[in-house]
Amino acid sequence: MRPTLHLTVGLPGVGKTTLARELERGSGALRLTPDEWMVPLFGVRWVDFGGKRDVLEGRLIWVARHVLRVGGSVILDFGCWSSDERYALRVIAELADADFELHYVTLPEEERRERATARWREAPEETFEMTVADHERFLGSFTPPTAAEFEGSSIPPPPVPFGSWPAWASDRWPTLPRLDM
Ligand SMILES: Nc1ncnc2c1ncn2[C@@H]1O[C@H](COP(=O)(O)OP(=O)(O)OP(=O)(O)O)[C@@H](O)[C@H]1O
Ligand SMILES: [Mg+2]
């Protein structure tokens, strides 16, 4: 059976990690949740002006690719807010002869904010404080997956000047080596 690269997509607090844990239990796939690594490695969570999250994510993608290549499935619990990130990860899965599955999690906005606030109150070690302004900014930066992305039918070319999606990905995540060379 071909391995699968699963990708969780959605805004903070919608339930991505909860879903990723269910997938992990049900399939035995390796779950990589950056939030579980940020504090142990860097002492910071998300608010990250030094690009530490990108450093971490690049290496997690690199690990994911190794696991896919030896036949294991992986869940990248990244949230992935942009279509470009999702296209790049799909191409990386294809290069590793793996299937790719998007798991888009949504909630009514009010409920999502309530959950994010409740989690900050109850489990501050798992999250960070989000103000109303933060939530507005998140909403403005998030691009939901399109129907074409779900179908996986065609992948557009990468943004100029990149010649391939793996080249784009090594620029987006500098700790990720070029996977098409
Ligand atoms: N079905 C549910 N009903 C109520 N609360 C839930 C449900 N699923 C998850 N939660 C709670 O909502 C909060 C957010 O869930 P989770 O951590 O899975 O979201 P997330 O999308 O991974 O968030 P983040 O983007 O911040 O990592 C958690 O406190 C979780 O326990
Ligand atoms: Mg999460």
Side-chain angles (χ1 to χ4, degrees):
M1 207 171 77
R2 272 161 71 93
T4 302
L5 178 63
H6 301 272
L7 180 65
T8 61
V9 176
L11 284 162
V14 287
K16 297 180 300 293
T17 301
T18 304
L19 173 73
R21 288 200 179 101
E22 282 165 18
L23 272 173
E24 176 184 35
R25 276 195 296 273
S27 68
L30 172 69
R31 178 176 58 85
L32 297 172
T33 297
D35 288 334
E36 295 176 346
W37 298 63
M38 287 298 290
V39 169
L41 288 179
F42 304 125
V44 292
R45 291 186 179 87
W46 170 277
V47 184
D48 173 23
F49 300 106
K52 293 189 170 65
R53 199 178 175 92
D54 295 340
V55 164
L56 171 61
E57 287 186 357
R59 283 281 114 169
L60 294 182
I61 298 166
W62 178 75
V63 168
R65 189 260 198 159
H66 281 285
V67 174
L68 295 169
R69 293 279 296 263
V70 296
S73 292
V74 181
I75 307 155
L76 289 181
D77 182 19
F78 278 19
C80 272
W81 292 13
S82 81
S83 303
D84 285 351
E85 291 170 346
R86 298 184 298 254
Y87 285 130
L89 292 173
R90 178 188 292 276
V91 168
I92 287 167
E94 287 176 359
L95 284 170
D97 288 325
D99 292 330
F100 179 78
E101 243 178 75
L102 276 183
H103 300 270
Y104 178 36
V105 189
T106 56
L107 265 188
E109 185 59 12
E110 196 179 325
E111 200 176 336
R112 183 185 73 75
R113 294 187 191 196
E114 278 166 16
R115 279 197 203 171
T117 306
R119 193 170 37 152
W120 173 242
R121 208 169 43 235
E122 287 151 24
E125 69 289 348
E126 285 181 17
T127 186
F128 55 97
E129 189 167 21
M130 299 172 217
T131 63
V132 171
D134 289 332
H135 283 302
E136 294 297 327
R137 197 163 36 82
F138 298 158
L139 207 53
S141 330
F142 181 78
T143 307
T146 60
E149 280 186 68
F150 281 113
E151 285 160 16
S153 42
S154 68
I155 297 175
V160 174
F162 298 98
S164 69
W165 278 109
W168 181 89
S170 313
D171 182 73
R172 165 67 184 81
W173 293 285
T175 50
L176 178 66
R178 279 282 295 269
L179 297 179
D180 58 344
M181 296 180 76

